[in-house]
Amino acid sequence: MKSLEKTLELYKQYRRKLLAYKYLNFITSWDLQTEAPEGSVVNTSRQLDVFAEESYRLNMDDKYIKCVETLYNNRDKIDEVTAHEVEVTYKDLQKLKNIPKDEFLKYQQLLNLAYPAYVKAKQSGDFNQFAPILKQIVEFNKNLCKWQETETLKGYNVLLDTYEPQYTTKEYDEFFDVLRTKLVPFVKKVVARKLQYNDSFVGKTFEVDKQRQYCEYIRDVMCFDKSRGLMKESEHPFTSGFGTDDIRITVHYYPELVESAIFSAVHETGHALYEQQQDPSLNDTMCCGGASLGLHESQSRFYENNIARSYSFWQVHFPRLKELFPEQLEGVTVDDFYKHVNRAECSFVRVEADELTYPLHIMLRYEMERKFIDGDLEVEDFSKYWNEAFTRYFGITPPDDRVGVLQDVHWACGNIGYFPTYALGSAIAAQLYHKMNEEFDVEESIRSGNTSKVNEWLKQHIHKYGSSKYPKEILRLAVGEDFNPQYYVDYLINKYKVIYGIED
Amino acid sequence: MKSLEKTLELYKQYRRKLLAYKYLNFITSWDLQTEAPEGSVVNTSRQLDVFAEESYRLNMDDKYIKCVETLYNNRDKIDEVTAHEVEVTYKDLQKLKNIPKDEFLKYQQLLNLAYPAYVKAKQSGDFNQFAPILKQIVEFNKNLCKWQETETLKGYNVLLDTYEPQYTTKEYDEFFDVLRTKLVPFVKKVVARKLQYNDSFVGKTFEVDKQRQYCEYIRDVMCFDKSRGLMKESEHPFTSGFGTDDIRITVHYYPELVESAIFSAVHETGHALYEQQQDPSLNDTMCCGGASLGLHESQSRFYENNIARSYSFWQVHFPRLKELFPEQLEGVTVDDFYKHVNRAECSFVRVEADELTYPLHIMLRYEMERKFIDGDLEVEDFSKYWNEAFTRYFGITPPDDRVGVLQDVHWACGNIGYFPTYALGSAIAAQLYHKMNEEFDVEESIRSGNTSKVNEWLKQHIHKYGSSKYPKEILRLAVGEDFNPQYYVDYLINKYKVIYGIED
C-alpha cells in the first residue's frame, strides 16, 4: 500500500508536466488560429517541434508507462476520478504502443502532405487529384484497425471508439436506420413546401459592430462567465480552453448573414458552458474537458437548436435585435424571423445545412466510412458513390466534387470515424431536452430572459463530471436510460410539422 | 578540434531548447498582457511554474555549463557570432552562480510581496508603507554588487552593467554632468515662456476607431512589415516578439488625447523595426533581439522624437489626420499641431514628460540610485531627498509621493540601474541623428512620405547586428566614435530655441 502511494505520487508529478504541455498546446494553437502573423509560422513551428518532442518523450517514458500500468492494475484501490483517468490513459498508451513506430512516423509525414494536396484538389474541384493520397490514408486506418483491435473492438469500431468511447456500429447502425426509415421520407415532404414569411431583410447589410454587440448580449443571456473566458473573431468559429477558468470562443461576422454569427455565438457558448461549469477540482487532473466529442457537441447543439431555435427564445430576444437593426428589420415580425432560422432546404454542403437535414449529411458519411474501412468501397469510387447516395437522400445531385466528396477536411486530416459524433450530439441533445422538460418547462424557463435554469440542470447532470466518467455513463446518470435516437426523430418531426403545417 | 566541434554541437542542442523557452515566455506573456481572462491567471501561473522549473534546470545543467565554459575558453576558434553569444552567456552564468542560492530564493519571494505592497502604498500615497520592503530590496542589491563584483566592475557599476553592458558611472556621470550644467538652466528659460498656438482641439473627443486608422496609417508610413508582426491594444503600450518574424506592438487609445496613441504607435514601431530588420540568420541564435535596453530605446526614441516630432513629418502627415478629424481640427494648422506636440512644461510624472524635460527625470533617479547603493542615502530619506532634488531641477515640488518617489514601479520590481538606459536611449538617438544627417538630409528624406531611407540606414548600421555585438561596438561602427552626450544637448537646445524663439 505504501508503494502504491509512492506510485501515485510519481504519477502526479508526470501529470503535472503533461498538464503544462496541454496548456502550452492550447495557448499556442489559440494564437496561431486567431492572430499570429502569417510570416511567423515557420519559425514558431520550429519552437513547437521542441515541445512536441519533449511531450512525446514524457508520454513514452518507461517510468511513466510503468506507473500507469501499476495504477491501472490497482485502480480499485484509488479514488474514482484518478481510477477513470488511469484507465483511459492506459488504453490510449496501449493503442499508441501497438502502432509500429516507423509506420506512425510515415503516416505523420503523409498527413503533412495530405492537407495542402486536399486544398489544391478542392480548389480545382477534382477528386482524382487527391485520391492517391487519400488511398494511403485509408490504408493506414485499415491497418490501424488491425493493430489496435481488442477482443471486443474490431474493424471500423476501433476508429469509432477513438472519437466516441464505447459507441460502436451497433449504436450507430440503429441510430442511422431510424434516420433512414423515418427522417428521410419526412424531409422529402418538408422540402417540397415553401415556407411563407417576410424575408425582406435577407441579403441586407448588418453592421459588424452591431452584430458584435448582439452576440455579446446573447453571450450574457447564456450567462457565460466573462471573468473566466473571452470571445474573439476568427475565420472559422471554434471553442478552445484550458481547465475551467480560461475558456475562449470565436465568432465570424458576415455583414450579409446576420444569423450566422448569432448561431455560431450560441453554439460556441454552449461548448464553453460545458467547460466553465465543470467541477473546479478537476483542474488538477486529466479529467478536465468534455467527456467526448459527441457529448460536447450535444451541449453546443442543445443551446443552438433546442434553445436558440425555439419560438420562446426569439419572443424574448428578437426585440433587442430589432433595436440594433431598425432599418434592416423594418416590418419583420418575430414569426418571420423564427421561420427564417428554422427553414429547411436540401443543400449540398454540410456546414450550411439546417437543423432538419443536417443528420442526413452525416448518415451518408457514416455509410461510406463503414464501407471503405470494411473494404467494400474503393477510394477511386468515392465521388460516384457520394453523388448517387446524395441524390437518393436529398433528391439533388452535387454539380462537382467541391460541394460533394471534397467539401470536408476531416479525411484529409486522417479523422475517420469522427463524423458520426456530430449527429450523435444533436440526438443526445434531443434526449436531454426531453428529460429536462419532464422536470420543468424549458421554454417557460428561457422566457425569463436568460438560460440560468437550463445551465444549472446541465451543470448538475452533465457538466460537473468533466471527463471523469465515460460519456455513456454520464448520459445514463442524466436521463436514466441509454442513448435512444427516437427522441431526436420525434423532436424533429414534431417541430417541423408545426412550422411547415404538415398534418399527417 | 574534433572535440570542440562536438562541444559546439551539444551547445546548439541546448540552445535549441532554450530558444523554445524564449518563445514560450514571449507568447504566454503576450497573452497575459493583452487578453487572458482575469480569472485564468491563477491556473495559468501554475502551468508556467512547470516550464520555469524546466528552463531553470536546463540553464543550471552541469553539462550545459561545462559546454559554455569550454566554448568560452576557445572562443577565438569559433565563429564571431557564437563567440559573442558564448561570452555573454558565460558572464551571465557566472553572475547567477555567485548569488547564494538561498538568498536568491528569498529575494524572489520578497519581490512577489513587493509589487502588491507598492501598489497599495501608491494608492494611499504614503511612501512609509512601502519603505520597509524597499529597504530589503535595496539591501539585496547592495549585496548583489559585492557577490558579482569583478576586477573591473564594482559597486553600482555591477547593476548598471546588468542593464547596459560596459556603461558605467564613468559614462553616466559625464552624461548627467552635461545635462545638469547645460540643460537645467536652458529648461528654466523655456518653461518660463508660454507657447502661443491654436489649441482649440485639446480636450475634444477623437473617435477611437479613427485613431486606430491613423495609427495604422503611421505604421505603414514607417514600413512596419505586417506579414511579420501585428498591432493590438493593451493598457500600457509595449513591444514584444520572437526572432525577426513575429514582432508585436500595442497601443492604448484615449478618446481625449489623440497624440498619446500616435506617439506610442511611433515609439513601439521604432522598437519593432529594430527587431524586424535584424539579419534573419540570427533567428537560430541567442543573438536575436536588441543589443541592450539603451540601444533599443535609442531606436524607439529616434522615431518618436527625431522623426515624428519634426516639422517635416507633420507637413506630410498632418493632412491625413485632419481628413480623419475635420471637426476636431477645424482651423488648426500644421504649425499649431507641431507646437502642441513639442511644447515643454515642468511636470511631476516621468512617463508624461516631454522630449526636453524627460532626461532630467532620469538624472534625478540616477543620482539617487548611485547614492543609495553606495550607502550615502537611506530608504527612510527617499521621499525628502526626491522632493528637494525635484524642486531644484524643475522649480516645482511634488504635492505627494504618488506623483513623487512612488510614481515608478521599477524599484519595486528590483530593477535598480535600469532608469539610466532611458536617457541614454534618447542621447544615442541624437548622436545617430547627427551622423545620419552628415550622410543625407533626414528631414528631406521623410518628406518623401515614408521612412524607408531612414530604416535602411538604421538596418545597415544598427539593426542587422541584433545582439551579436556589444552596444558600444555597434555604436562605434555606426558613428565612428564613442558615445558623446554633447550631440543630445545640442540637438535639444537648438530645437527648442527655434520653437520657443529663444535668442540665447
Side-chain angles (χ1 to χ4, degrees):
Chain A
M1 194 56 196
K2 195 89 184 168
S3 125
L4 189 62
E5 266 166 36
K6 269 192 188 159
T7 308
L8 197 56
E9 205 37 61
L10 184 60
Y11 171 75
K12 285 180 180 172
Q13 284 171 28
Y14 277 99
R15 183 173 68 179
R16 178 171 173 261
K17 290 187 190 176
L18 290 168
L19 270 172
Y21 280 106
K22 212 172 147 186
Y23 165 75
L24 177 72
N25 286 336
F26 150 62
I27 202 68
T28 53
S29 317
W30 170 258
D31 184 72
L32 286 169
Q33 286 179 81
T34 63
E35 68 181 29
E38 203 192 318
S40 72
V41 177
V42 173
N43 200 18
T44 297
S45 307
R46 293 169 62 201
Q47 313 315 315
L48 297 182
D49 284 348
V50 173
F51 291 113
E53 287 163 24
E54 290 295 310
S55 154
Y56 181 82
R57 204 192 326 273
L58 211 55
N59 267 301
M60 289 293 109
D61 186 327
D62 283 340
K63 263 199 206 159
Y64 169 66
I65 292 178
K66 206 152 177 189
C67 234
V68 172
E69 283 171 356
T70 306
L71 294 175
Y72 177 76
N73 293 325
N74 291 280
R75 63 193 188 283
D76 53 331
K77 301 188 194 75
I78 53 180
D79 72 280
E80 211 183 334
V81 171
T82 313
H84 179 77
E85 172 176 319
V86 164
E87 186 176 317
V88 171
T89 308
Y90 175 81
K91 285 183 184 167
D92 287 347
L93 284 172
Q94 292 303 109
K95 276 185 150 184
L96 200 60
K97 258 172 50 182
N98 289 340
I99 310 175
K101 201 179 167 183
D102 53 333
E103 296 284 344
F104 181 77
L105 295 174
K106 257 168 52 193
Y107 184 58
Q108 299 309 315
Q109 288 163 357
L110 177 66
L111 291 182
N112 290 339
L113 298 174
Y115 181 74
Y118 161 74
V119 171
K120 224 180 134 192
K122 188 174 176 184
Q123 274 159 0
S124 71
D126 179 12
F127 176 73
N128 291 331
Q129 273 186 29
F130 182 53
I133 285 190
L134 184 55
K135 206 172 163 70
Q136 292 177 64
I137 292 176
V138 169
E139 212 46 50
F140 177 87
N141 278 276
K142 282 160 113 173
N143 285 327
L144 200 59
C145 295
K146 281 180 209 137
W147 294 324
Q148 298 186 332
E149 72 172 14
T150 64
E151 269 184 41
T152 48
L153 283 180
K154 295 196 195 306
Y156 185 38
N157 286 331
V158 171
L159 302 180
L160 289 174
D161 185 76
T162 301
Y163 296 101
E164 194 69 23
Q166 303 178 337
Y167 280 80
T168 63
T169 49
K170 185 179 164 291
E171 285 82 1
Y172 285 121
D173 280 349
E174 279 174 26
F175 177 24
F176 290 114
D177 276 346
V178 176
L179 294 189
R180 200 175 297 104
T181 53
K182 301 205 178 157
L183 201 60
V184 171
F186 180 72
V187 165
K188 287 192 173 151
K189 275 192 208 165
V190 169
V191 298
R193 303 188 175 209
K194 170 104 184 86
L195 210 53
Q196 298 298 328
Y197 63 95
N198 175 0
D199 63 356
S200 58
F201 61 100
V202 176
K204 283 189 181 164
T205 300
F206 290 73
E207 301 89 330
V208 165
D209 256 8
K210 289 187 183 172
Q211 285 198 41
R212 193 180 296 115
Q213 276 179 55
Y214 190 73
C215 286
E216 284 167 2
Y217 162 80
I218 288 293
R219 182 195 60 184
D220 292 345
V221 162
M222 290 173 69
C223 312
F224 175 86
D225 183 345
K226 286 174 284 186
S227 77
R228 299 188 288 127
L230 58 87
M231 185 162 91
K232 201 174 169 180
E233 280 161 59
S234 72
E235 191 53 36
H236 302 285
F238 69 97
T239 301
S240 177
F242 179 72
T244 58
D245 300 342
D246 196 349
I247 308 302
R248 308 182 184 194
I249 65 174
T250 69
V251 177
H252 189 93
Y253 299 100
Y254 299 92
E256 265 93 55
L257 264 180
V258 70
E259 71 270 25
S260 167
I262 298 172
F263 286 99
S264 284
V266 174
H267 182 97
E268 303 307 336
T269 305
H271 280 306
L273 289 173
Y274 189 173
E275 306 267 333
Q276 287 193 331
Q277 294 203 120
Q278 296 172 102
D279 191 303
S281 71
L282 297 174
N283 268 316
D284 286 334
T285 72
M286 285 288 172
C287 294
C288 207
S292 66
L293 291 169
L295 209 60
H296 230 307
E297 197 69 9
S298 79
Q299 301 308 293
S300 53
R301 297 279 177 179
F302 185 92
Y303 285 98
E304 180 189 347
N305 292 332
N306 303 78
I307 301 298
R309 289 191 209 272
S310 72
Y311 191 76
S312 300
F313 188 84
W314 289 107
Q315 269 186 310
V316 187
H317 304 299
F318 188 64
R320 176 82 185 115
L321 191 66
K322 241 182 133 153
E323 228 173 85
L324 283 165
F325 300 104
E327 286 172 32
Q328 294 89 333
L329 295 174
E330 206 192 327
V332 179
T333 65
V334 59
D335 285 69
D336 296 324
F337 197 76
Y338 173 71
K339 281 184 182 166
H340 179 68
V341 301
N342 282 296
R343 72 200 183 285
E345 284 157 359
C346 284
S347 60
F348 297 116
V349 178
R350 177 183 63 85
V351 295
E352 292 163 11
D354 52 71
E355 187 182 0
L356 181 68
T357 58
Y358 186 87
L360 306 187
H361 289 266
I362 301 301
M363 183 175 73
L364 166 62
R365 286 154 179 80
Y366 172 75
E367 285 174 10
M368 279 184 74
E369 288 186 344
R370 255 205 98 153
K371 278 188 200 295
F372 70 69
I373 291 297
D374 286 352
D376 296 334
L377 173 64
E378 294 304 315
V379 171
E380 291 77 8
D381 302 322
F382 271 24
S383 179
K384 190 166 166 277
Y385 183 94
W386 180 287
N387 292 342
E388 282 176 8
F390 199 91
T391 311
R392 196 159 59 245
Y393 295 137
F394 294 89
I396 51 175
T397 309
D400 59 45
D401 294 334
R402 230 182 312 245
V403 294
V405 69
L406 279 175
Q407 67 182 264
D408 291 310
V409 74
H410 299 61
W411 293 340
C413 298
N415 296 329
I416 299 168
Y418 187 121
F419 282 123
T421 67
Y422 287 137
L424 186 66
S426 302
I428 291 175
Q431 193 166 356
L432 292 171
Y433 187 66
H434 182 267
K435 179 69 185 174
M436 205 184 280
N437 267 311
E438 283 179 358
E439 299 187 14
F440 62 92
D441 184 332
V442 178
E443 292 222 15
E444 188 193 294
S445 88
I446 60 177
R447 277 196 296 271
S448 75
N450 67 38
T451 65
S452 58
K453 198 165 177 182
V454 167
N455 294 6
E456 189 55 30
W457 194 93
L458 289 171
K459 179 181 176 177
Q460 293 310 331
H461 294 87
I462 306 280
H463 300 174
K464 70 173 181 189
Y465 299 116
S467 50
S468 67
K469 296 180 186 298
Y470 286 111
K472 276 195 169 179
E473 193 186 346
I474 296 174
L475 182 63
R476 223 176 284 125
L477 285 169
V479 299
E481 58 175 335
D482 282 333
F483 170 64
N484 180 351
Q486 194 58 51
Y487 294 106
Y488 181 42
V489 175
D490 289 347
Y491 158 80
L492 284 176
I493 291 179
N494 290 333
K495 175 171 177 177
Y496 277 87
K497 268 187 175 170
V498 176
I499 295 171
Y500 276 80
I502 293 171
E503 307 253 305
D504 180 289
Chain B
M1 193 56 197
K2 196 87 186 171
S3 126
L4 188 62
E5 267 167 36
K6 269 192 187 158
T7 307
L8 196 56
E9 204 37 62
L10 184 59
Y11 171 75
K12 285 181 181 173
Q13 283 172 26
Y14 276 98
R15 182 172 69 179
R16 178 170 173 262
K17 289 188 189 173
L18 291 168
L19 270 173
Y21 281 106
K22 213 172 145 186
Y23 166 76
L24 176 72
N25 285 336
F26 150 63
I27 201 69
T28 53
S29 318
W30 171 258
D31 184 71
L32 286 168
Q33 287 179 80
T34 63
E35 68 181 28
E38 202 192 317
S40 72
V41 178
V42 174
N43 200 18
T44 297
S45 306
R46 294 169 63 200
Q47 313 314 315
L48 297 182
D49 284 348
V50 174
F51 291 113
E53 288 164 22
E54 290 294 311
S55 153
Y56 181 81
R57 204 190 326 272
L58 211 54
N59 267 302
M60 289 293 107
D61 185 327
D62 283 339
K63 261 200 207 159
Y64 169 67
I65 293 179
K66 205 147 180 198
C67 234
V68 172
E69 282 170 356
T70 307
L71 294 175
Y72 178 75
N73 293 326
N74 290 279
R75 62 193 188 285
D76 52 330
K77 301 187 193 75
I78 54 180
D79 71 281
E80 213 183 332
V81 171
T82 313
H84 179 77
E85 172 177 320
V86 164
E87 186 176 317
V88 171
T89 307
Y90 175 81
K91 286 182 183 168
D92 287 348
L93 285 172
Q94 293 304 108
K95 278 184 147 184
L96 200 60
K97 257 171 52 181
N98 289 338
I99 310 174
K101 201 179 167 182
D102 54 332
E103 295 285 342
F104 181 78
L105 294 175
K106 257 168 53 190
Y107 184 57
Q108 299 309 316
Q109 288 164 356
L110 178 66
L111 291 182
N112 289 339
L113 298 174
Y115 182 74
Y118 160 76
V119 172
K120 223 179 136 192
K122 188 175 176 182
Q123 275 160 359
S124 71
D126 179 11
F127 176 74
N128 291 331
Q129 274 187 28
F130 181 53
I133 285 190
L134 184 54
K135 208 174 163 68
Q136 293 177 64
I137 292 176
V138 169
E139 213 46 51
F140 177 87
N141 279 275
K142 283 160 115 175
N143 285 327
L144 199 58
C145 295
K146 282 181 208 136
W147 295 325
Q148 298 186 331
E149 73 173 11
T150 64
E151 268 182 43
T152 48
L153 284 178
K154 297 198 195 304
Y156 185 37
N157 286 330
V158 170
L159 301 179
L160 290 173
D161 185 77
T162 302
Y163 297 101
E164 194 68 23
Q166 303 179 336
Y167 279 80
T168 63
T169 49
K170 186 181 164 290
E171 285 83 1
Y172 285 120
D173 280 351
E174 280 174 25
F175 176 25
F176 290 114
D177 277 347
V178 176
L179 293 188
R180 200 177 297 106
T181 53
K182 302 205 177 158
L183 201 60
V184 171
F186 180 72
V187 164
K188 289 194 169 147
K189 274 192 208 166
V190 169
V191 299
R193 303 188 173 207
K194 170 107 182 85
L195 210 53
Q196 298 298 325
Y197 62 95
N198 174 0
D199 64 356
S200 58
F201 61 99
V202 176
K204 284 190 179 163
T205 300
F206 290 73
E207 301 89 329
V208 165
D209 256 8
K210 289 186 184 173
Q211 286 198 40
R212 194 180 296 115
Q213 275 178 55
Y214 191 73
C215 286
E216 284 168 1
Y217 162 79
I218 288 294
R219 181 195 60 184
D220 293 345
V221 163
M222 290 174 70
C223 313
F224 175 87
D225 183 346
K226 286 174 283 186
S227 76
R228 297 187 290 127
L230 57 88
M231 185 162 92
K232 201 175 167 179
E233 280 160 57
S234 72
E235 192 52 36
H236 302 284
F238 68 96
T239 302
S240 178
F242 179 73
T244 58
D245 300 343
D246 196 349
I247 309 302
R248 309 183 183 193
I249 65 174
T250 69
V251 177
H252 188 93
Y253 298 101
Y254 299 93
E256 266 93 54
L257 264 180
V258 70
E259 71 272 24
S260 167
I262 298 172
F263 287 99
S264 284
V266 173
H267 182 97
E268 303 307 335
T269 305
H271 280 305
L273 288 174
Y274 189 175
E275 306 267 333
Q276 287 193 329
Q277 294 203 120
Q278 296 173 102
D279 191 304
S281 71
L282 296 173
N283 268 315
D284 286 334
T285 74
M286 286 289 172
C287 293
C288 207
S292 68
L293 290 169
L295 209 60
H296 230 309
E297 198 70 7
S298 78
Q299 301 309 292
S300 53
R301 297 280 176 178
F302 185 93
Y303 286 98
E304 180 189 347
N305 293 332
N306 304 76
I307 301 296
R309 289 191 209 273
S310 71
Y311 191 76
S312 300
F313 188 85
W314 289 108
Q315 269 187 307
V316 187
H317 304 298
F318 187 63
R320 175 82 186 117
L321 191 66
K322 241 183 132 152
E323 228 174 85
L324 282 165
F325 301 104
E327 286 173 31
Q328 294 89 334
L329 295 174
E330 206 192 327
V332 178
T333 65
V334 59
D335 286 67
D336 296 324
F337 197 75
Y338 173 70
K339 282 184 180 164
H340 179 68
V341 301
N342 281 296
R343 72 200 182 284
E345 286 157 358
C346 284
S347 61
F348 297 116
V349 179
R350 176 184 63 85
V351 295
E352 291 162 11
D354 51 71
E355 187 182 0
L356 181 68
T357 58
Y358 187 87
L360 306 187
H361 289 265
I362 301 300
M363 183 175 73
L364 166 62
R365 287 154 178 81
Y366 172 74
E367 285 173 11
M368 281 184 73
E369 288 187 345
R370 254 206 97 151
K371 277 190 200 296
F372 70 69
I373 290 297
D374 284 353
D376 297 335
L377 173 65
E378 294 304 315
V379 171
E380 291 77 8
D381 303 322
F382 271 25
S383 179
K384 190 166 166 276
Y385 183 94
W386 180 288
N387 292 342
E388 282 175 9
F390 199 92
T391 312
R392 196 159 59 245
Y393 296 136
F394 294 89
I396 51 174
T397 309
D400 60 43
D401 294 334
R402 230 184 312 246
V403 295
V405 70
L406 279 175
Q407 67 182 266
D408 290 310
V409 74
H410 299 61
W411 293 341
C413 298
N415 297 328
I416 298 168
Y418 186 122
F419 282 124
T421 67
Y422 286 138
L424 186 66
S426 303
I428 291 175
Q431 193 165 355
L432 292 172
Y433 187 65
H434 181 267
K435 179 69 185 174
M436 206 185 280
N437 267 310
E438 285 180 357
E439 299 188 15
F440 62 92
D441 184 333
V442 177
E443 292 223 14
E444 188 194 292
S445 88
I446 61 177
R447 277 197 296 272
S448 76
N450 68 38
T451 65
S452 58
K453 200 166 176 180
V454 167
N455 293 6
E456 189 55 29
W457 194 93
L458 289 170
K459 178 181 178 180
Q460 293 310 332
H461 294 87
I462 305 281
H463 300 173
K464 71 174 179 189
Y465 299 116
S467 50
S468 67
K469 297 179 185 301
Y470 286 111
K472 276 195 169 180
E473 193 187 345
I474 296 173
L475 182 63
R476 222 176 285 124
L477 286 169
V479 299
E481 58 175 334
D482 282 332
F483 170 62
N484 180 351
Q486 195 57 51
Y487 294 106
Y488 181 43
V489 175
D490 289 348
Y491 158 82
L492 285 176
I493 291 179
N494 289 334
K495 175 172 179 177
Y496 278 86
K497 268 186 174 172
V498 175
I499 295 171
Y500 276 81
I502 293 171
E503 307 255 308
D504 181 283

